[in-house]
Amino acid sequence: MLIDFQYGDSHPDYGLGTRAKELGIFNRFMWYWDRLRLTVIPNTQRLLATARRVGVEVIHTHVSTATEDGRDSSLSKHRTVCGSSFRNTIEAEIIRELAPVGDELVLTKVTASPFNSTIADRVLRNLGIETIIFAGVVTDGCVASTVRSAAEHNYGRIVVEDATAALSPQLHEYGIMGMAYNLSPITTTNDTIKILETLE
């Protein structure tokens, strides 16, 4: 499951990046943009290529409202911080490097976890999925929320540490530590690919 690799929070020229520039704090997020560009996106591309090759289901999530003014969004951060992820905006689109192919599933959500605002659980049960591998952004936000929801729904969970990122190294470590403590095994892209390749 690829969480929120969309232009609004995965590309410095849109959404979060645009807002940070307006506030004069763009440079505070350089670790995040560099980690996405140099580590997370390339690693996720490798995970995607392997999953597609061995026939493992790929599911994408993204934040996008069903209305153009966002009135269907939650009253919390998705109406304010993520308010630019409205329907038919580039901020809501999944980035080109990790875009869905064929009929890969895309869950459109207005909450941190897709389990709270989509039919994620029904879809996963219909597909017979028992374990979910997670990559995405941000580590301590939507990734951790989704992993927590998956745990509450009794799915097996694997978080790929070097295919996730948060706005700072401290927040990333906080998110990883929280998930490792009682929610999920933490692994690397290389080790996850080895696991996937056993399914060929």
Side-chain angles (χ1 to χ4, degrees), residues 37-162:
R37 179 174 55 87
L38 299 173
T39 302
V40 174
I41 292 173
N43 282 342
T44 305
Q45 288 175 316
R46 293 172 56 215
L47 289 169
L48 264 178
T50 304
R52 289 165 175 163
R53 187 179 75 247
V54 304
V56 168
E57 193 77 43
V58 175
I59 300 175
H60 306 258
T61 78
H62 70 134
V63 177
S64 179
T65 62
T67 58
E68 292 187 358
D69 64 2
R71 65 186 181 276
D72 60 299
S73 182
S74 65
L75 292 174
S76 62
K77 71 173 185 175
H78 290 290
R79 186 171 290 183
T80 54
V81 176
C82 299
S84 61
S85 296
F86 296 153
R87 186 183 70 182
N88 299 327
T89 62
I90 191 168
E91 281 81 6
E93 294 178 16
I94 295 170
I95 60 174
R96 176 182 50 80
E97 297 94 328
L98 302 174
V101 299
D103 64 349
E104 289 176 351
L105 289 162
V106 179
L107 299 176
T108 301
K109 64 191 179 82
V110 291
T111 52
S113 167
F115 287 91
N116 294 329
S117 58
T118 77
I119 58 169
D121 185 50
R122 175 69 61 86
V123 168
L124 292 165
R125 306 262 181 225
N126 287 349
L127 293 170
I129 291 173
E130 297 179 354
T131 299
I132 308 170
I133 298 170
F134 295 95
V137 295
V138 295
T139 315
D140 59 316
C142 292
V143 175
S145 293
T146 307
V147 172
R148 185 173 295 106
S149 293
E152 292 169 348
H153 285 80
N154 295 315
Y155 290 98
R157 302 154 315 275
I158 298 171
V159 174
V160 187
E161 186 276 334
D162 56 2

